[in-house]
Amino acid sequence: MRSDSVTKGIRQAPHRSLLNALGYTKEEQNRPLIGVVSSYNEIVPGHMNLDKIVDAVKIGVAMAGGTPIVFPAIAVCDGITMGHAGMKYSLATRDLICDSTECMAMAHGFDALVMVPNCDKNVPGLLMAAARLNIPTIFVSGGPMLAGRVKGEKRSLSSLFEAVGACAAGTMSEAEVEEFEEKACPTCGSCSGMYTANSMNCLTEALGMGLRGNGTIPAVYSKRLRLAKEAGMKIMELLEKNIRPKDIMNAKAFENALVVDMALGCSTNSMLHLPAIAHEAGVALDLDMANRISAKTPNLCHLAPAGHTYMEDLDEAGGVYAVMNELHKIGLLHTDTITVTGKTTGENIAGCENKDSLVIRPIENPYSKTGGIAVLTGSLAPDSAVVKRSAVAEEMMVHEGPARVFDCEEDAISAIMGGGIKSGDVVVIRYEGPKGGPGMREMLGPTSAIAGMGLGSSVALITDGRFSGASRGASIGHVSPEAAVGGPIALVEEGDLIKINIPENTLDLAISEEEMEKRKAEWKPREAKITTGYLARYASLVTSGNTGAILK
Protein backbone atom coordinates (compact mmCIF):
# COMPACT_ATOMS: atom_id res chain seq x y z
CA MET A 1 0.00 0.00 0.00
CA ARG A 2 1.24 3.50 -0.80
CA SER A 3 0.15 4.66 2.64
CA ASP A 4 2.65 2.27 4.27
CA SER A 5 5.23 5.01 3.71
CA VAL A 6 3.22 7.12 6.17
CA THR A 7 1.75 4.59 8.62
CA LYS A 8 3.97 1.48 8.89
CA GLY A 9 7.29 0.87 10.63
CA ILE A 10 9.33 2.40 13.44
CA ARG A 11 10.63 5.20 11.21
CA GLN A 12 7.06 6.31 10.64
CA ALA A 13 6.46 6.99 14.35
CA PRO A 14 6.63 10.78 13.75
CA HIS A 15 4.17 10.46 10.89
CA ARG A 16 1.74 8.49 13.06
CA SER A 17 2.11 11.08 15.77
CA LEU A 18 0.87 13.73 13.37
CA LEU A 19 -2.02 11.48 12.36
CA ASN A 20 -2.78 11.13 16.08
CA ALA A 21 -2.89 14.92 16.24
CA LEU A 22 -5.54 14.83 13.54
CA GLY A 23 -7.63 12.49 15.67
CA TYR A 24 -7.10 9.31 13.65
CA THR A 25 -7.13 6.11 15.71
CA LYS A 26 -4.72 3.22 15.18
CA GLU A 27 -7.54 1.32 13.50
CA GLU A 28 -8.08 4.16 11.04
CA GLN A 29 -4.35 4.48 10.38
CA ASN A 30 -4.12 0.76 9.62
CA ARG A 31 -6.81 0.97 6.95
CA PRO A 32 -6.19 2.20 3.38
CA LEU A 33 -6.02 6.00 3.28
CA ILE A 34 -8.49 7.31 0.71
CA GLY A 35 -8.11 10.92 -0.41
CA VAL A 36 -11.42 12.68 -1.02
CA VAL A 37 -10.76 15.65 -3.29
CA SER A 38 -13.42 18.23 -2.44
CA SER A 39 -14.14 21.13 -4.79
CA TYR A 40 -16.53 22.66 -2.26
CA ASN A 41 -16.69 26.44 -1.94
CA GLU A 42 -19.24 29.19 -1.37
CA ILE A 43 -18.87 31.10 -4.66
CA VAL A 44 -19.78 28.44 -7.25
CA PRO A 45 -23.48 27.42 -7.26
CA GLY A 46 -22.51 23.99 -8.57
CA HIS A 47 -20.20 23.50 -5.59
CA MET A 48 -22.22 24.78 -2.65
CA ASN A 49 -23.66 21.29 -2.06
CA LEU A 50 -20.37 19.43 -2.35
CA ASP A 51 -19.86 19.39 1.42
CA LYS A 52 -22.89 17.07 1.61
CA ILE A 53 -21.60 14.96 -1.29
CA VAL A 54 -18.22 14.69 0.43
CA ASP A 55 -19.84 13.63 3.71
CA ALA A 56 -21.74 10.91 1.85
CA VAL A 57 -18.54 9.74 0.13
CA LYS A 58 -16.80 9.54 3.51
CA ILE A 59 -19.61 7.36 4.87
CA GLY A 60 -19.30 5.05 1.85
CA VAL A 61 -15.52 4.76 2.20
CA ALA A 62 -15.76 4.00 5.93
CA MET A 63 -18.56 1.47 5.38
CA ALA A 64 -16.28 -0.41 2.99
CA GLY A 65 -13.27 -0.40 5.30
CA GLY A 66 -11.26 2.66 4.28
CA THR A 67 -10.22 5.84 6.02
CA PRO A 68 -11.48 8.90 4.10
CA ILE A 69 -9.35 12.05 4.30
CA VAL A 70 -10.57 15.23 2.66
CA PHE A 71 -8.42 17.82 0.92
CA PRO A 72 -9.52 20.72 -1.32
CA ALA A 73 -9.41 21.72 -4.97
CA ILE A 74 -10.02 25.29 -6.10
CA ALA A 75 -12.85 26.24 -8.44
CA VAL A 76 -14.11 29.36 -10.21
CA CYS A 77 -17.63 29.98 -11.50
CA ASP A 78 -17.55 30.56 -15.24
CA GLY A 79 -20.87 32.41 -15.11
CA ILE A 80 -19.67 34.89 -12.50
CA THR A 81 -16.34 35.39 -14.30
CA MET A 82 -18.04 35.93 -17.67
CA GLY A 83 -17.44 39.17 -19.55
CA HIS A 84 -14.64 40.66 -17.45
CA ALA A 85 -10.98 40.06 -16.56
CA GLY A 86 -11.92 37.20 -14.23
CA MET A 87 -12.61 34.93 -17.21
CA LYS A 88 -8.90 35.01 -18.08
CA TYR A 89 -8.36 32.80 -15.04
CA SER A 90 -11.00 30.16 -15.74
CA LEU A 91 -9.26 27.80 -18.17
CA ALA A 92 -5.94 28.47 -16.43
CA THR A 93 -7.30 26.92 -13.22
CA ARG A 94 -7.63 23.54 -14.94
CA ASP A 95 -3.87 23.05 -14.71
CA LEU A 96 -3.65 24.41 -11.16
CA ILE A 97 -6.32 21.91 -10.11
CA CYS A 98 -4.42 19.07 -11.76
CA ASP A 99 -1.03 20.08 -10.39
CA SER A 100 -2.20 20.76 -6.82
CA THR A 101 -4.09 17.45 -6.66
CA GLU A 102 -0.97 15.63 -7.82
CA CYS A 103 1.04 17.41 -5.11
CA MET A 104 -1.40 16.54 -2.31
CA ALA A 105 -1.86 12.91 -3.36
CA MET A 106 1.85 12.22 -3.78
CA ALA A 107 2.93 14.13 -0.69
CA HIS A 108 0.64 12.21 1.66
CA GLY A 109 0.78 8.70 0.24
CA PHE A 110 -2.92 8.17 -0.45
CA ASP A 111 -3.83 4.69 -1.65
CA ALA A 112 -6.77 5.81 -3.78
CA LEU A 113 -8.85 8.90 -4.55
CA VAL A 114 -12.48 9.91 -4.81
CA MET A 115 -12.78 13.06 -6.91
CA VAL A 116 -15.73 15.36 -6.10
CA PRO A 117 -15.92 18.09 -8.76
CA ASN A 118 -18.85 19.65 -10.55
CA CYS A 119 -18.27 22.75 -12.63
CA ASP A 120 -16.32 23.56 -15.73
CA LYS A 121 -12.57 23.19 -15.07
CA ASN A 122 -12.70 20.93 -12.03
CA VAL A 123 -13.92 17.90 -13.93
CA PRO A 124 -11.21 17.94 -16.64
CA GLY A 125 -8.56 19.15 -14.18
CA LEU A 126 -9.24 16.24 -11.85
CA LEU A 127 -9.48 13.76 -14.73
CA MET A 128 -6.05 14.97 -15.83
CA ALA A 129 -4.76 14.45 -12.29
CA ALA A 130 -6.30 10.98 -12.14
CA ALA A 131 -4.52 9.95 -15.32
CA ARG A 132 -1.22 11.48 -14.20
CA LEU A 133 -1.28 9.86 -10.75
CA ASN A 134 -2.69 6.54 -11.96
CA ILE A 135 -3.82 5.28 -8.57
CA PRO A 136 -7.35 3.83 -8.17
CA THR A 137 -9.78 6.72 -8.61
CA ILE A 138 -13.51 7.28 -8.99
CA PHE A 139 -15.55 10.43 -9.71
CA VAL A 140 -18.83 11.62 -8.26
CA SER A 141 -20.02 15.10 -9.21
CA GLY A 142 -22.36 17.48 -7.44
CA GLY A 143 -25.03 17.18 -10.14
CA PRO A 144 -26.92 19.61 -12.38
CA MET A 145 -29.22 22.45 -11.36
CA LEU A 146 -32.94 22.12 -11.99
CA ALA A 147 -34.22 24.30 -14.82
CA GLY A 148 -35.89 27.56 -13.87
CA ARG A 149 -39.40 28.46 -14.95
CA VAL A 150 -40.38 31.82 -16.40
CA LYS A 151 -43.95 32.36 -17.60
CA GLY A 152 -44.55 28.61 -17.56
CA GLU A 153 -41.50 27.69 -19.65
CA LYS A 154 -38.29 26.02 -18.55
CA ARG A 155 -35.34 28.41 -18.64
CA SER A 156 -31.65 28.48 -17.74
CA LEU A 157 -28.68 30.81 -17.35
CA SER A 158 -28.24 31.17 -21.13
CA SER A 159 -31.83 32.48 -21.30
CA LEU A 160 -30.84 35.26 -18.93
CA PHE A 161 -27.76 36.26 -20.94
CA GLU A 162 -29.96 36.41 -24.05
CA ALA A 163 -32.55 38.44 -22.13
CA VAL A 164 -29.90 41.13 -21.60
CA GLY A 165 -29.43 41.31 -25.38
CA ALA A 166 -33.18 41.46 -25.92
CA CYS A 167 -33.40 44.33 -23.45
CA ALA A 168 -30.70 46.21 -25.39
CA ALA A 169 -32.68 45.60 -28.59
CA GLY A 170 -35.82 47.01 -26.97
CA THR A 171 -37.79 43.77 -27.20
CA MET A 172 -37.76 43.06 -23.45
CA SER A 173 -38.26 45.35 -20.49
CA GLU A 174 -35.95 45.65 -17.51
CA ALA A 175 -38.73 44.24 -15.35
CA GLU A 176 -38.89 41.14 -17.53
CA VAL A 177 -35.10 40.75 -17.30
CA GLU A 178 -35.43 40.98 -13.53
CA GLU A 179 -37.97 38.15 -13.58
CA PHE A 180 -35.45 36.00 -15.49
CA GLU A 181 -32.80 37.03 -12.96
CA GLU A 182 -34.95 35.81 -10.08
CA LYS A 183 -36.03 32.51 -11.66
CA ALA A 184 -33.41 31.26 -14.15
CA CYS A 185 -31.16 29.55 -11.58
CA PRO A 186 -33.50 28.15 -8.91
CA THR A 187 -31.27 25.58 -7.13
CA CYS A 188 -27.68 24.68 -6.47
CA GLY A 189 -25.92 22.58 -9.11
CA SER A 190 -24.14 22.99 -12.41
CA CYS A 191 -26.22 25.11 -14.82
CA SER A 192 -29.14 23.14 -16.16
CA GLY A 193 -28.39 22.79 -19.89
CA MET A 194 -25.77 20.79 -21.80
CA TYR A 195 -23.12 23.32 -20.93
CA THR A 196 -19.47 22.53 -20.20
CA ALA A 197 -19.85 21.24 -16.65
CA ASN A 198 -22.66 18.86 -17.50
CA SER A 199 -20.95 17.86 -20.74
CA MET A 200 -17.81 16.81 -18.88
CA ASN A 201 -19.72 15.05 -16.10
CA CYS A 202 -21.63 13.06 -18.72
CA LEU A 203 -18.41 12.27 -20.56
CA THR A 204 -16.94 11.03 -17.28
CA GLU A 205 -19.58 8.29 -17.43
CA ALA A 206 -18.72 7.58 -21.07
CA LEU A 207 -15.01 7.35 -20.24
CA GLY A 208 -15.83 4.86 -17.50
CA MET A 209 -14.64 7.01 -14.57
CA GLY A 210 -18.03 7.71 -12.97
CA LEU A 211 -21.02 5.59 -11.94
CA ARG A 212 -24.35 5.68 -13.75
CA GLY A 213 -26.12 8.99 -13.15
CA ASN A 214 -22.94 10.93 -12.37
CA GLY A 215 -23.71 13.39 -15.16
CA THR A 216 -27.48 13.68 -14.87
CA ILE A 217 -28.95 13.11 -11.38
CA PRO A 218 -30.00 16.61 -10.23
CA ALA A 219 -28.00 18.16 -7.41
CA VAL A 220 -31.03 18.51 -5.14
CA TYR A 221 -32.14 14.87 -5.42
CA SER A 222 -31.34 12.57 -2.49
CA LYS A 223 -30.41 9.99 -5.10
CA ARG A 224 -27.25 12.07 -5.59
CA LEU A 225 -26.25 11.39 -1.96
CA ARG A 226 -26.85 7.67 -2.44
CA LEU A 227 -24.66 7.80 -5.55
CA ALA A 228 -21.89 9.43 -3.50
CA LYS A 229 -22.07 6.67 -0.88
CA GLU A 230 -21.90 4.07 -3.64
CA ALA A 231 -18.83 5.79 -5.08
CA GLY A 232 -17.19 5.75 -1.64
CA MET A 233 -17.81 2.04 -1.33
CA LYS A 234 -16.79 1.31 -4.90
CA ILE A 235 -13.34 2.91 -4.52
CA MET A 236 -12.43 0.18 -2.03
CA GLU A 237 -13.29 -2.45 -4.63
CA LEU A 238 -11.18 -0.65 -7.24
CA LEU A 239 -8.30 -0.55 -4.76
CA GLU A 240 -8.64 -4.25 -3.97
CA LYS A 241 -8.69 -5.14 -7.68
CA ASN A 242 -6.00 -2.54 -8.49
CA ILE A 243 -8.09 -1.05 -11.32
CA ARG A 244 -6.40 2.22 -12.22
CA PRO A 245 -7.34 5.25 -14.37
CA LYS A 246 -5.03 4.28 -17.23
CA ASP A 247 -6.65 0.83 -17.30
CA ILE A 248 -9.96 2.61 -17.84
CA MET A 249 -9.01 5.72 -19.87
CA ASN A 250 -7.41 3.99 -22.84
CA ALA A 251 -7.74 4.77 -26.55
CA LYS A 252 -11.04 2.87 -26.85
CA ALA A 253 -12.53 4.77 -23.91
CA PHE A 254 -11.65 8.13 -25.48
CA GLU A 255 -13.29 7.02 -28.73
CA ASN A 256 -16.39 6.13 -26.72
CA ALA A 257 -16.31 9.56 -25.11
CA LEU A 258 -16.11 11.27 -28.50
CA VAL A 259 -19.04 9.21 -29.80
CA VAL A 260 -21.17 10.14 -26.77
CA ASP A 261 -20.00 13.77 -27.09
CA MET A 262 -21.33 13.91 -30.66
CA ALA A 263 -24.59 12.18 -29.79
CA LEU A 264 -25.32 14.45 -26.81
CA GLY A 265 -24.28 17.68 -28.55
CA CYS A 266 -21.83 18.61 -25.81
CA SER A 267 -20.05 21.90 -25.25
CA THR A 268 -17.25 22.79 -27.67
CA ASN A 269 -15.02 22.98 -24.59
CA SER A 270 -14.89 19.19 -24.71
CA MET A 271 -12.59 19.68 -27.70
CA LEU A 272 -10.13 21.35 -25.32
CA HIS A 273 -10.55 19.04 -22.37
CA LEU A 274 -10.64 15.56 -23.92
CA PRO A 275 -7.27 16.07 -25.71
CA ALA A 276 -5.75 17.41 -22.48
CA ILE A 277 -6.99 14.43 -20.46
CA ALA A 278 -5.84 12.02 -23.17
CA HIS A 279 -2.40 13.67 -23.14
CA GLU A 280 -2.05 12.88 -19.43
CA ALA A 281 -3.23 9.31 -20.08
CA GLY A 282 -0.66 8.84 -22.84
CA VAL A 283 -3.34 8.50 -25.51
CA ALA A 284 -3.10 10.28 -28.86
CA LEU A 285 -6.28 12.25 -29.57
CA ASP A 286 -6.33 14.84 -32.33
CA LEU A 287 -9.22 16.89 -33.66
CA ASP A 288 -9.19 15.02 -36.98
CA MET A 289 -10.40 12.03 -34.97
CA ALA A 290 -13.29 14.14 -33.71
CA ASN A 291 -14.45 14.82 -37.28
CA ARG A 292 -14.08 11.19 -38.29
CA ILE A 293 -16.22 10.11 -35.36
CA SER A 294 -18.71 12.93 -35.88
CA ALA A 295 -19.17 11.84 -39.51
CA LYS A 296 -20.57 8.46 -38.41
CA THR A 297 -22.32 9.44 -35.14
CA PRO A 298 -25.95 10.58 -35.16
CA ASN A 299 -26.88 13.55 -32.98
CA LEU A 300 -29.61 12.28 -30.64
CA CYS A 301 -30.10 15.12 -28.13
CA HIS A 302 -30.88 18.82 -28.36
CA LEU A 303 -30.57 19.94 -24.75
CA ALA A 304 -30.43 23.65 -23.94
CA PRO A 305 -29.09 25.81 -25.50
CA ALA A 306 -29.64 23.76 -28.69
CA GLY A 307 -33.22 22.89 -27.73
CA HIS A 308 -35.82 23.06 -24.98
CA THR A 309 -34.93 20.04 -22.85
CA TYR A 310 -32.70 20.08 -19.79
CA MET A 311 -30.49 17.80 -17.71
CA GLU A 312 -33.37 16.75 -15.48
CA ASP A 313 -35.19 15.59 -18.62
CA LEU A 314 -32.16 13.60 -19.78
CA ASP A 315 -31.98 11.93 -16.39
CA GLU A 316 -35.66 10.95 -16.53
CA ALA A 317 -35.17 9.62 -20.06
CA GLY A 318 -32.51 7.17 -18.92
CA GLY A 319 -29.40 9.31 -18.79
CA VAL A 320 -26.06 8.77 -20.46
CA TYR A 321 -26.34 4.98 -20.40
CA ALA A 322 -29.60 5.13 -22.37
CA VAL A 323 -27.88 7.31 -24.99
CA MET A 324 -24.99 4.84 -25.09
CA ASN A 325 -27.37 1.93 -25.52
CA GLU A 326 -28.93 3.66 -28.54
CA LEU A 327 -25.45 4.13 -30.03
CA HIS A 328 -24.60 0.51 -29.34
CA LYS A 329 -27.50 -0.60 -31.55
CA ILE A 330 -25.45 0.39 -34.61
CA GLY A 331 -22.11 -0.72 -33.20
CA LEU A 332 -20.59 2.69 -32.45
CA LEU A 333 -19.14 1.86 -29.03
CA HIS A 334 -16.29 -0.28 -27.75
CA THR A 335 -18.15 -2.39 -25.22
CA ASP A 336 -15.17 -4.32 -23.86
CA THR A 337 -13.62 -1.38 -21.98
CA ILE A 338 -13.35 -1.73 -18.18
CA THR A 339 -14.98 0.94 -15.99
CA VAL A 340 -15.11 2.00 -12.34
CA THR A 341 -18.07 -0.30 -11.84
CA GLY A 342 -15.63 -3.18 -12.22
CA LYS A 343 -17.68 -4.21 -15.24
CA THR A 344 -17.31 -3.46 -18.94
CA THR A 345 -19.10 -0.70 -20.80
CA GLY A 346 -21.25 -3.33 -22.50
CA GLU A 347 -22.31 -4.82 -19.17
CA ASN A 348 -23.07 -1.37 -17.78
CA ILE A 349 -25.41 -0.27 -20.56
CA ALA A 350 -27.20 -3.58 -21.13
CA GLY A 351 -30.94 -3.08 -20.73
CA CYS A 352 -30.69 0.70 -20.23
CA GLU A 353 -33.67 1.70 -22.32
CA ASN A 354 -34.62 5.07 -23.75
CA LYS A 355 -37.64 6.18 -21.74
CA ASP A 356 -38.43 9.37 -23.66
CA SER A 357 -37.90 9.62 -27.42
CA LEU A 358 -38.55 13.37 -27.30
CA VAL A 359 -35.44 13.86 -25.16
CA ILE A 360 -33.24 11.10 -26.60
CA ARG A 361 -34.06 10.52 -30.24
CA PRO A 362 -34.06 6.84 -31.26
CA ILE A 363 -31.01 5.88 -33.29
CA GLU A 364 -33.17 5.46 -36.41
CA ASN A 365 -34.60 9.00 -36.08
CA PRO A 366 -31.74 11.35 -35.08
CA TYR A 367 -31.70 15.13 -35.29
CA SER A 368 -28.91 14.68 -37.81
CA LYS A 369 -26.85 11.80 -39.13
CA THR A 370 -23.67 13.52 -37.98
CA GLY A 371 -22.49 14.60 -34.55
CA GLY A 372 -23.13 17.77 -32.57
CA ILE A 373 -19.62 19.22 -32.94
CA ALA A 374 -17.65 20.01 -36.10
CA VAL A 375 -13.97 20.84 -36.50
CA LEU A 376 -13.31 23.32 -39.32
CA THR A 377 -10.09 24.07 -41.18
CA GLY A 378 -9.15 26.46 -43.99
CA SER A 379 -7.17 29.57 -44.72
CA LEU A 380 -8.54 31.34 -41.62
CA ALA A 381 -7.90 28.32 -39.36
CA PRO A 382 -5.06 26.23 -40.83
CA ASP A 383 -4.82 24.06 -37.70
CA SER A 384 -8.49 24.01 -36.67
CA ALA A 385 -11.56 25.77 -35.33
CA VAL A 386 -14.54 24.29 -33.47
CA VAL A 387 -18.30 24.86 -33.71
CA LYS A 388 -21.29 23.32 -31.91
CA ARG A 389 -23.05 22.31 -35.10
CA SER A 390 -26.18 21.09 -33.31
CA ALA A 391 -26.84 24.64 -32.00
CA VAL A 392 -26.43 26.41 -35.38
CA ALA A 393 -29.51 27.57 -37.29
CA GLU A 394 -29.91 25.79 -40.62
CA GLU A 395 -29.60 29.02 -42.60
CA MET A 396 -26.17 29.69 -41.02
CA MET A 397 -24.60 26.33 -41.84
CA VAL A 398 -23.22 27.97 -44.98
CA HIS A 399 -22.55 31.69 -44.72
CA GLU A 400 -20.47 34.42 -46.33
CA GLY A 401 -20.18 37.88 -44.89
CA PRO A 402 -17.96 40.87 -44.21
CA ALA A 403 -15.62 40.75 -41.23
CA ARG A 404 -16.27 43.11 -38.32
CA VAL A 405 -12.96 42.99 -36.47
CA PHE A 406 -12.38 43.50 -32.73
CA ASP A 407 -9.21 42.94 -30.73
CA CYS A 408 -11.01 42.13 -27.48
CA GLU A 409 -14.36 40.88 -26.23
CA GLU A 410 -15.38 44.17 -24.60
CA ASP A 411 -15.15 46.13 -27.87
CA ALA A 412 -17.26 43.53 -29.65
CA ILE A 413 -19.98 43.61 -26.99
CA SER A 414 -20.13 47.41 -27.16
CA ALA A 415 -20.63 47.25 -30.92
CA ILE A 416 -23.27 44.53 -30.72
CA MET A 417 -25.26 46.15 -27.92
CA GLY A 418 -24.92 49.54 -29.60
CA GLY A 419 -26.56 48.30 -32.79
CA GLY A 420 -23.36 48.40 -34.81
CA ILE A 421 -23.63 44.82 -36.08
CA LYS A 422 -25.96 44.10 -38.98
CA SER A 423 -27.51 41.03 -40.54
CA GLY A 424 -24.93 39.12 -42.58
CA ASP A 425 -21.89 40.33 -40.62
CA VAL A 426 -19.16 38.02 -39.33
CA VAL A 427 -17.90 39.26 -35.97
CA VAL A 428 -14.21 38.45 -35.43
CA ILE A 429 -12.86 38.64 -31.87
CA ARG A 430 -9.13 38.00 -31.69
CA TYR A 431 -6.20 38.20 -29.26
CA GLU A 432 -8.36 36.21 -26.83
CA GLY A 433 -6.60 32.85 -27.32
CA PRO A 434 -4.66 30.84 -24.71
CA LYS A 435 -1.57 33.06 -25.04
CA GLY A 436 -3.17 36.24 -26.32
CA GLY A 437 -5.91 36.61 -23.72
CA PRO A 438 -4.18 35.18 -21.88
CA GLY A 439 -6.52 32.44 -20.76
CA MET A 440 -8.83 31.91 -23.76
CA ARG A 441 -11.92 33.65 -22.42
CA GLU A 442 -15.41 32.33 -23.09
CA MET A 443 -17.63 34.53 -25.26
CA LEU A 444 -21.10 33.92 -23.86
CA GLY A 445 -21.68 37.67 -23.60
CA PRO A 446 -21.27 38.40 -27.34
CA THR A 447 -23.08 35.25 -28.53
CA SER A 448 -26.00 35.87 -26.16
CA ALA A 449 -26.18 39.52 -27.20
CA ILE A 450 -26.33 38.47 -30.85
CA ALA A 451 -29.10 35.97 -30.11
CA GLY A 452 -30.98 38.35 -27.82
CA MET A 453 -30.97 41.08 -30.45
CA GLY A 454 -32.55 38.74 -33.00
CA LEU A 455 -29.39 38.23 -35.07
CA GLY A 456 -28.72 34.58 -34.19
CA SER A 457 -29.79 33.32 -37.61
CA SER A 458 -27.95 35.97 -39.61
CA VAL A 459 -24.68 36.87 -37.83
CA ALA A 460 -21.67 34.60 -37.21
CA LEU A 461 -18.99 35.02 -34.55
CA ILE A 462 -15.43 33.77 -34.94
CA THR A 463 -12.75 33.90 -32.24
CA ASP A 464 -9.44 32.44 -31.12
CA GLY A 465 -11.07 32.41 -27.69
CA ARG A 466 -13.73 29.88 -26.78
CA PHE A 467 -17.42 29.61 -26.01
CA SER A 468 -19.48 28.63 -23.03
CA GLY A 469 -21.53 25.52 -23.53
CA ALA A 470 -24.43 27.94 -23.13
CA SER A 471 -23.60 29.66 -26.42
CA ARG A 472 -25.66 28.91 -29.51
CA GLY A 473 -25.65 30.06 -33.10
CA ALA A 474 -22.83 30.15 -35.66
CA SER A 475 -20.23 30.56 -32.93
CA ILE A 476 -16.85 29.32 -34.15
CA GLY A 477 -14.05 29.24 -31.59
CA HIS A 478 -10.61 27.82 -30.84
CA VAL A 479 -9.29 29.30 -34.12
CA SER A 480 -5.72 28.02 -34.39
CA PRO A 481 -3.09 29.32 -34.76
CA GLU A 482 -4.26 32.20 -32.58
CA ALA A 483 -3.69 35.87 -33.29
CA ALA A 484 -1.00 36.26 -30.62
CA VAL A 485 1.35 33.97 -32.56
CA GLY A 486 0.56 35.50 -35.95
CA GLY A 487 -2.20 33.14 -37.07
CA PRO A 488 -4.33 34.24 -40.04
CA ILE A 489 -7.02 35.56 -37.70
CA ALA A 490 -4.51 38.32 -36.78
CA LEU A 491 -4.40 39.35 -40.44
CA VAL A 492 -8.14 39.86 -41.00
CA GLU A 493 -9.12 43.42 -41.89
CA GLU A 494 -12.48 45.17 -41.58
CA GLY A 495 -14.73 44.21 -44.48
CA ASP A 496 -12.78 41.13 -45.62
CA LEU A 497 -15.09 38.39 -46.88
CA ILE A 498 -15.20 35.32 -44.64
CA LYS A 499 -16.63 32.04 -45.91
CA ILE A 500 -18.11 29.48 -43.52
CA ASN A 501 -19.19 26.02 -44.67
CA ILE A 502 -19.96 23.81 -41.68
CA PRO A 503 -21.18 20.76 -43.68
CA GLU A 504 -17.86 20.75 -45.54
CA ASN A 505 -15.86 21.63 -42.37
CA THR A 506 -14.24 24.72 -43.89
CA LEU A 507 -13.48 28.25 -42.68
CA ASP A 508 -11.78 30.60 -45.14
CA LEU A 509 -10.60 34.18 -45.43
CA ALA A 510 -11.31 35.20 -49.02
CA ILE A 511 -8.12 37.08 -49.88
CA SER A 512 -5.37 36.12 -52.31
CA GLU A 513 -2.25 34.24 -51.21
CA GLU A 514 -0.21 37.27 -52.25
CA GLU A 515 -2.25 39.57 -50.00
CA MET A 516 -2.01 37.06 -47.14
CA GLU A 517 1.80 36.95 -47.45
CA LYS A 518 1.97 40.75 -47.59
CA ARG A 519 -0.05 41.05 -44.38
CA LYS A 520 2.09 38.39 -42.69
CA ALA A 521 5.23 40.33 -43.50
CA GLU A 522 3.75 43.50 -42.02
CA TRP A 523 2.32 41.90 -38.87
CA LYS A 524 4.05 42.57 -35.55
CA PRO A 525 3.38 40.78 -32.24
CA ARG A 526 1.49 42.78 -29.64
CA GLU A 527 2.98 43.51 -26.26
CA ALA A 528 1.84 41.10 -23.55
CA LYS A 529 -1.17 42.41 -21.64
CA ILE A 530 -0.13 40.74 -18.40
CA THR A 531 3.52 40.43 -17.40
CA THR A 532 3.39 39.28 -13.76
CA GLY A 533 1.73 36.56 -11.71
CA TYR A 534 0.22 33.23 -12.65
CA LEU A 535 -1.30 34.37 -15.95
CA ALA A 536 2.09 35.56 -17.22
CA ARG A 537 3.58 32.17 -16.39
CA TYR A 538 0.57 30.45 -17.96
CA ALA A 539 0.90 32.46 -21.19
CA SER A 540 4.55 31.48 -21.48
CA LEU A 541 3.78 27.74 -21.18
CA VAL A 542 0.39 27.22 -22.80
CA THR A 543 0.00 25.64 -26.24
CA SER A 544 -2.61 26.22 -28.92
CA GLY A 545 -6.29 25.46 -28.60
CA ASN A 546 -6.04 22.67 -31.18
CA THR A 547 -3.76 20.72 -28.81
CA GLY A 548 -6.07 21.18 -25.82
CA ALA A 549 -4.27 24.26 -24.48
CA ILE A 550 -1.99 22.04 -22.44
CA LEU A 551 1.10 23.41 -20.72
CA LYS A 552 4.57 22.57 -21.96
Side-chain angles (χ1 to χ4, degrees), residues 67 70 72 84 90 186 213 217 284 315 347 397 439 503-504 514 525 529 550:
T67 298
V70 178
H84 59 89
S90 173
I217 297 171
D315 189 63
E347 291 173 314
M397 297 295 279
E504 294 187 5
E514 292 77 13
K529 296 178 183 178
I550 60 173

Side-chain angles (χ1 to χ4, degrees), residues 38-288:
S38 171
S39 301
Y40 168 79
N41 65 38
E42 295 181 343
I43 190 61
V44 184
H47 290 211
M48 64 178 286
N49 66 321
L50 294 190
D51 56 342
K52 295 177 176 60
I53 302 295
V54 166
D55 286 345
V57 167
K58 290 172 67 179
I59 290 170
V61 170
M63 286 169 63
T67 298
I69 302 176
V70 178
F71 65 88
I74 64 166
V76 302
C77 176
D78 277 23
I80 294 174
T81 64
M82 199 71 67
H84 59 89
M87 178 49 76
K88 294 178 184 291
Y89 287 88
S90 173
L91 180 60
T93 65
R94 185 186 70 181
D95 297 274
L96 281 176
I97 292 160
C98 175
D99 291 348
S100 59
T101 301
E102 174 198 356
C103 292
M104 288 294 289
M106 294 300 294
H108 299 101
F110 290 112
D111 297 304
L113 297 172
V114 182
M115 305 291 200
V116 188
N118 206 27
C119 289
D120 299 83
K121 307 310 164 302
N122 289 75
V123 185
L126 291 178
L127 282 166
M128 289 164 67
R132 186 185 296 178
L133 289 162
N134 201 33
I135 61 176
T137 303
I138 193 169
F139 279 67
V140 57
S141 77
M145 183 184 291
L146 293 178
R149 290 185 181 271
V150 181
K151 294 181 171 61
E153 294 185 10
K154 287 185 178 181
R155 297 292 189 174
S156 63
L157 182 66
S158 59
S159 307
L160 182 53
F161 273 90
E162 291 181 13
V164 173
C167 185
T171 59
M172 184 177 287
S173 68
E174 288 190 20
E176 288 174 305
V177 173
E178 186 174 344
E179 183 179 6
F180 272 86
E181 182 181 334
E182 290 293 327
K183 298 178 178 178
C185 299
T187 73
C188 64
S190 47
C191 295
S192 56
M194 187 53 78
Y195 310 149
T196 303
N198 293 325
S199 294
M200 295 310 302
N201 281 320
C202 287
L203 294 182
T204 299
E205 287 190 57
L207 277 170
M209 291 296 293
L211 299 176
R212 183 181 184 183
N214 179 69
T216 59
I217 297 171
V220 294
Y221 285 11
S222 297
K223 186 178 179 182
R224 174 67 56 179
L225 297 176
R226 299 199 299 272
L227 182 74
K229 291 176 184 177
E230 290 168 10
M233 290 186 283
K234 185 61 69 173
I235 191 61
M236 301 307 296
E237 180 183 326
L238 294 172
L239 178 60
E240 180 184 356
K241 294 179 178 178
N242 196 29
I243 297 175
R244 300 174 180 237
K246 286 185 180 178
D247 300 325
I248 296 169
M249 291 192 287
N250 55 31
K252 289 182 178 179
F254 280 100
E255 288 188 25
N256 283 350
L258 282 170
V259 168
V260 174
D261 189 336
M262 299 305 167
L264 285 173
C266 288
S267 163
T268 52
N269 281 312
S270 65
M271 295 295 101
L272 284 174
H273 299 323
L274 287 176
I277 299 161
H279 174 75
E280 294 290 349
V283 174
L285 193 163
D286 59 47
L287 295 188
D288 288 339

Side-chain angles (χ1 to χ4, degrees), residues 21 108 122 131 142 185 195 222 241 254 282 302 333 357 377 384 424 435 449 485 518:
H108 299 101
N122 289 75
C185 299
Y195 310 149
S222 297
K241 294 179 178 178
F254 280 100
H302 268 191
L333 296 175
S357 61
T377 56
S384 67
K435 284 185 180 293
V485 298
K518 176 177 174 289

Side-chain angles (χ1 to χ4, degrees), residues 394-459:
E394 185 62 33
E395 54 267 42
M396 291 298 290
M397 297 295 279
V398 178
H399 180 75
E400 295 183 9
R404 303 299 311 280
V405 183
F406 304 93
D407 286 350
C408 67
E409 177 188 5
E410 288 84 355
D411 290 350
I413 290 178
S414 294
I416 296 165
M417 301 290 264
I421 302 302
K422 307 300 181 186
S423 178
D425 286 348
V426 178
V427 176
V428 177
I429 306 177
R430 61 192 180 190
Y431 294 102
E432 291 284 10
K435 284 185 180 293
M440 205 178 185
R441 287 197 288 180
E442 288 185 343
M443 303 289 163
L444 180 56
T447 58
S448 298
I450 288 170
M453 297 188 76
L455 298 170
S457 59
S458 61
V459 169

